[in-house]
């Protein structure tokens, strides 16, 4: 029995198999929508800004 997942973009049920070249998405359209969201920085990973090592030398 194949694994079925929800498309991250539209929520449609999708079979997770090699036959689905867009997995985990249901279609190329949903895949492109997700890619566009990453490009527009709608998804972020929380964290702090890195410190500048040259600033540490000035103290």
């Amino acid at each position: 029995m194949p694994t079925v997942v929800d498309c991250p973009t539209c929520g449609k049920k999708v079979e997770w198999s090699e036959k689905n070249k867009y997995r985990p998405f249901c279609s190329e359209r949903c895949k492109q929508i997700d890619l566009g969201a990453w490009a527009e920085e709608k998804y972020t990973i929380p964290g702090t800004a890195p410190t500048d090592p040259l600033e540490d030398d000035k103290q």
Side-chain angles (χ1 to χ4, degrees):
M1 180 173 192
T3 303
V4 176
V5 298
D6 293 335
C7 173
T9 304
C10 70
K12 180 180 175 183
K13 299 290 183 191
V14 180
E15 185 178 312
W16 186 279
S17 70
E18 291 184 23
K19 293 188 303 183
N20 179 7
K21 66 180 180 178
Y22 303 114
R23 69 180 181 259
F25 305 98
C26 65
S27 65
E28 183 175 13
R29 177 181 177 273
C30 282
K31 185 177 179 179
Q32 292 300 321
I33 289 170
D34 186 74
L35 179 61
W38 278 104
E40 292 176 5
E41 297 182 355
K42 291 184 178 179
Y43 303 133
T44 59
I45 299 172
T48 58
T51 58
D52 186 351
L54 297 178
E55 290 293 321
D56 292 340
D57 293 340
K58 293 180 182 178
Q59 294 178 1

